[in-house]
Amino acid sequence: MPARSEIVVSRSESAAPKGMLAHLDQLTHGPNLRGGLELLHRERKWINEQHLRICRVPAPTFREQLRAEFLCALFRELGHRATIDDAGNVVLPIKFDEELPFVAVSAHMDTVLAPQAEEEISVRPDGTFEGPGVTDNGPGLAAVVALARVFTNGAPVHKPRCNVLLMANVAEEGEGNLQGMKYFCSHSRYASSVHAYLVLDGASTGHITTEALGSRRFEIVIEGAGGHSWNDYGRANPVHALGRTISFLAELPLPATPRTTLNVGVIEGGSGVNSIAPIACAKVDIRSRDNEAMNAVVRSMEDGVRFGVEAENRASRERLDGYKIREIGHRPAALFQADNPVLACVRGVDAYLGINSRLDCASTDANIPLALGRPAVALGAGGRGGGAHSPGEWYHPEGRELGLQRILLSLALLLEDSSRTG
């Protein structure tokens, strides 16, 4: 789940067309959708139980297999047949007609922290869930399972013009680098058939992620001979070269529009206070709403490493062995698309349900379809949560039902009219 500090744009919500509101009212009173909405209300306790069961199966990034197998078994209990693709994603196509395109609803499985024992996922007396992953991304996964339960009874609209594809994907967090969604959008057998994406991430219904915050991440490695701090003094020091580099990077002028940032997040090197280190490493995170702005800062970073190494070599009697810059993560940026049909549906539903939401830019699985020009948004799945990526992570299901209604109604609009996603 992206931190809200990553939000870099906000636009006011506009009212939905009266025709859409009237149509939503008609849909919610029709037998197909009404049955699904009633199920979400009736099965609140069951949905909470599935949320806890899922979170008790550890799924740290790159090690999601146990949770994937658990979800496949859970879908079988509901009468569906899911498969695990070559990336490790759980994929569940729900077909109303073999010839129809798909609308995909996804939630990432992986977590930054993982429970070491089932009892680490607990429930306070006031109903608050506690433990790793309960808010990032327990709500999204519970929503996908709830939708599978709804679709056991068929389509939520009469004569749907799209099929549904439910997915629990791998490798969204950190250095997972959105690999699960990248694989799906480029290599899955369903990739060309999916015309729109609803990405479920976290709890809050107060935002709609419509822009992709891009990032490029690098590891810098500088190497030298190393040695004794006294006997070998004057030999080029990789730590000093790295320090010169970081000083250069800290002074880089970065564009305010489009907002672009650079952060050195990790520094490593050396084995003792009286040793010249043979190696020094750093990890750098560069972010922007615009790919070109981000790439320009990458080029400046490369200049900074070259400057740091050359400056250290000039100041020393023995040169460094060399340096390497390795890209360890790349998330493409994508700007706001005013004609995004998924956004139009969600905004209409928000007006209908009385949800006051804002548009934002963040780094989520939606980066990938948005960067490919495919309609997508990322949403919270309802309830309240906080402390993501920390030992104090928590979630309260109060408000979950509204989030699930929002998802189901938005999906119903997309299923009903293939022209929205074509």
Side-chain angles (χ1 to χ4, degrees), residues 131-381:
V134 293
T135 196
D136 187 12
N137 186 27
L141 292 168
V144 168
V145 170
L147 289 175
R149 177 81 180 264
V150 168
F151 297 143
T152 300
N153 299 323
V157 296
H158 182 59
K159 293 184 179 179
R161 298 182 182 180
C162 290
N163 293 316
V164 173
L165 188 141
L166 302 179
M167 178 168 61
N169 61 279
V170 299
E172 189 272 348
E173 298 285 7
E175 293 186 22
N177 197 34
L178 312 183
Q179 288 299 333
M181 186 62 79
K182 285 180 178 178
Y183 175 87
F184 180 83
C185 289
S186 298
H187 303 294
S188 170
R189 56 182 288 202
Y190 298 104
S192 62
S193 302
V194 175
H195 289 190
Y197 291 78
L198 275 173
V199 173
L200 309 181
D201 198 341
S204 174
T205 56
H207 65 89
I208 309 170
T209 297
T210 57
E211 295 187 57
L213 178 61
S215 67
R216 294 186 67 183
R217 294 166 177 169
F218 296 86
E219 181 182 53
I220 300 167
V221 179
I222 303 175
E223 297 177 304
H228 192 278
S229 62
W230 174 262
N231 296 334
D232 298 309
Y233 181 75
R235 183 174 290 173
N237 188 326
V239 170
H240 293 183
L242 184 60
R244 297 175 193 271
T245 296
I246 293 172
S247 178
F248 180 98
L249 297 180
E251 298 300 322
L252 274 179
L254 301 175
T257 305
R259 184 185 175 202
T260 305
T261 64
L262 180 150
N263 180 66
V264 180
V266 177
I267 301 173
E268 298 173 327
S271 57
V273 69
N274 60 342
S275 299
I276 298 172
I279 189 169
C281 309
K283 290 184 179 180
V284 180
D285 175 275
I286 297 168
R287 298 189 180 217
S288 181
R289 291 172 54 206
D290 180 78
N291 288 310
E292 284 305 313
M294 186 163 57
N295 294 340
V297 176
V298 170
R299 292 190 290 271
S300 295
M301 179 204 68
E302 294 169 344
D303 291 341
V305 179
R306 187 162 50 251
F307 164 83
V309 169
E310 290 175 353
E312 178 63 13
N313 282 336
R314 285 195 301 270
S316 307
R317 58 180 172 79
E318 293 184 32
R319 298 172 62 85
L320 294 163
D321 293 345
Y323 68 91
K324 300 174 185 176
I325 302 173
R326 182 172 69 92
E327 188 165 29
I328 58 175
H330 186 187
R331 301 180 180 214
L335 296 174
F336 176 75
Q337 300 171 359
D339 60 348
N340 184 335
V342 187
L343 173 61
C345 291
V346 175
R347 295 182 85 171
V349 169
D350 281 358
Y352 181 74
L353 295 176
I355 295 174
N356 184 21
S357 61
R358 66 188 183 281
L359 308 188
D360 72 27
C361 173
S363 179
T364 70
D365 275 317
N367 281 44
I368 305 306
L370 285 172
L372 292 171
R374 300 173 190 173
V377 301
L379 304 171

Side-chain angles (χ1 to χ4, degrees), residues 54-55 57-59 64-71 109 111 141:
I54 293 166
C55 290
V57 181
E64 301 97 332
Q65 184 176 357
L66 288 177
R67 185 171 287 184
E69 293 170 352
F70 175 85
L71 286 167
M109 284 189 288
T111 61
L141 292 168

